Amino acid sequence: MFRTLIFFFIILISAQERLIGQENSIYIKAGLLYDSKENKLLKNKLVHIQDTKIISIGEFESLPKNSKAIDLTEYTVLPGLIDAHTHVLFSQDANEDFSEHSIQSLTMESDALRVLRGSKRAKSYLDQGITSIKDLGNSGLYLDVALRNAINEGTIEGPRIFASGPILAATGGQIYGVLPEHQNIIDSEYRIISSPEDAKNAVREHVNQNVDLIKICADNLPNKTFLTIDEIKAVVETAHSYNLKVTAHCVTNQSAWNAIEAGVDGIEHGFNLADSTITKMAEKRIYMVPTENSRDYMNTYVKLAGFEDTEWIDNYLNIMKDRLNKAIDKGVPVVAGSDNYTDIKVSRGESSSDMFRYYFEAGMKPLDILQSSTYISAFHLNKEDEIGYLQPQANADIIAVKGDIINDFISTIENVEFIMKDGKIYDQTTD
Ligand SMILES: [Zn+2]
């Protein structure tokens, strides 16, 4: 009798476990599914999600009997998109000076207010299907890390954040025109490096505060200071010893060359790269994050900034387009990033998704743009097993767009109708 009871009990428990398992299971029928590793679209795939992870990707027929699936047969299903260059804790108006606004923010905006504002900006990325962001500084003393933690623990909703902490930079950082007696203000926004030894300490401080990657300013224009090759080398060697990637803000060609010599993993902006620098990046598989904007965005920006002269826009965009295409032709890995921190009177997420339009205008093919915003981006962060690629054991960060992604890219990528992050459906306006 006792044995029978135990037996009955075990059956009951396992049945309950099965039930719980099923309750936490979600199936998605994808009419088209983007394979970001192979860079191609697959037809009619069934995605099985359990809790926060993807369990399997199979055929429609593998849907268990009596199970219901979310019907996305009319949609293209993609990994959640990644913006690899954001500043969610910083915002300025188009007509404001960056340096003056930075000082104002550091002296008149409390950390509490700054994080609350930043959390609203962060959340707006989810609406665009951008489920992960690399937030690269201008975020006070580790406010990006705090925001990341609040999102990860579920206190607030937002994208997965990879936080850099304060940018490592040479004297003055990027804040120009500050008197010597007030340079200490800059220490609450940048980690100023004074030597290779100090550079090692700076990385260790960042490791101690649990950053996800290291961002440096290889040059500080319009401040004239820059990090030396030895300082950058010390940063890279220390960061790599902790398995952290190093990405470098570079405006000048010289600073990009220095950063590459020192072994950084990626170059942000790279506005003025010489052909030889681009070749070296391709050889060393150093990625580039081109952070330009579309023509529409630029027109809005100059209007808000009150610039009279708009003729430079075409010239600027053409030079940038040439440099991007040269990099692609030579085989430099391109990682998508917006760097949008100016208030152009739409949400930050919406403003940042302008990067898709820009890359398209610059001649990139739709699937290549998607790969730069998913697999390639995740790969260069060592996170391709977790994000940016729909595969078993990856985080269930899944979005769906309606439209023809190949032939009508812009309106389709801007038409995100299904958003899931960590297995949780964030917004579903399908039907
Ligand atoms: Zn930036």
Side-chain angles (χ1 to χ4, degrees), residues 57-118:
I57 293 169
E59 306 307 314
F60 281 178
E61 295 73 43
S62 60
L63 180 69
K65 264 188 193 151
N66 304 323
S67 293
K68 273 180 80 175
I70 297 169
D71 184 5
L72 297 176
T73 48
E74 300 295 314
Y75 292 76
T76 302
V77 172
L78 313 157
L81 303 167
I82 307 167
D83 184 342
H85 192 131
T86 71
H87 299 284
V88 294
L89 289 143
F90 190 89
S91 174
Q92 70 172 78
D93 289 340
N95 61 359
E96 275 182 305
D97 174 77
F98 171 81
S99 194
E100 285 177 11
H101 180 77
S102 294
I103 294 296
Q104 187 190 15
S105 170
L106 291 170
T107 54
M108 300 172 81
E109 187 184 30
S110 67
D111 283 357
L113 186 57
R114 198 169 173 184
V115 174
L116 286 165
R117 287 170 170 166

Side-chain angles (χ1 to χ4, degrees), residues 85 87 136 138 215 249 269 339 341:
H85 192 131
H87 299 284
L136 300 182
N138 303 97
K215 158 95 177 285
H249 162 103
H269 320 298
D339 193 26
Y341 54 81

